[in-house]
Amino acid sequence: MKTPRDFFLTIGKKNYSVRSALDNKEIDRVKDLIDQACGNLTETDQENLLMLTCLRLAYSLDHLGGKVEDVIKRIDKSN
């Protein structure tokens, strides 16, 4: 099992210390996903930025979950 370590994650105008067992490639992927979710929302205050980022990530997860369900249904029908 990987040993947890600390790294910094920037969301909007702040850096957050995070402890995780993710490797560098996984950390970079998380940072990219958050950057994509934040987009250009830097004009708002930090609390709203965090909420909007969370909402965008939740929407993306829900949207992808729906696509996965559709694929599973198609696979089940073909069997």
Side-chain angles (χ1 to χ4, degrees), residues 10-58:
T10 302
I11 303 176
K13 303 164 190 142
K14 289 192 172 185
N15 289 316
Y16 298 90
S17 179
V18 179
R19 185 167 189 76
S20 175
L22 296 176
D23 64 29
N24 287 340
K25 186 175 179 180
E26 294 165 328
I27 290 169
D28 288 343
R29 181 65 181 139
V30 167
K31 288 179 177 182
D32 286 343
L33 289 169
I34 290 174
D35 287 346
Q36 289 172 23
C38 281
N40 56 359
L41 295 174
T42 56
E43 299 300 319
T44 187
D45 65 42
Q46 186 68 16
E47 187 174 331
N48 284 332
L49 178 71
L50 291 172
M51 183 199 55
L52 291 170
T53 300
C54 182
L55 289 172
R56 283 183 173 182
L57 290 169

Side-chain angles (χ1 to χ4, degrees), residues 55-68:
L55 289 172
R56 283 183 173 182
L57 290 169
Y59 174 79
S60 295
L61 183 61
D62 185 59
H63 183 72
L64 289 173
K67 287 185 175 189
V68 169

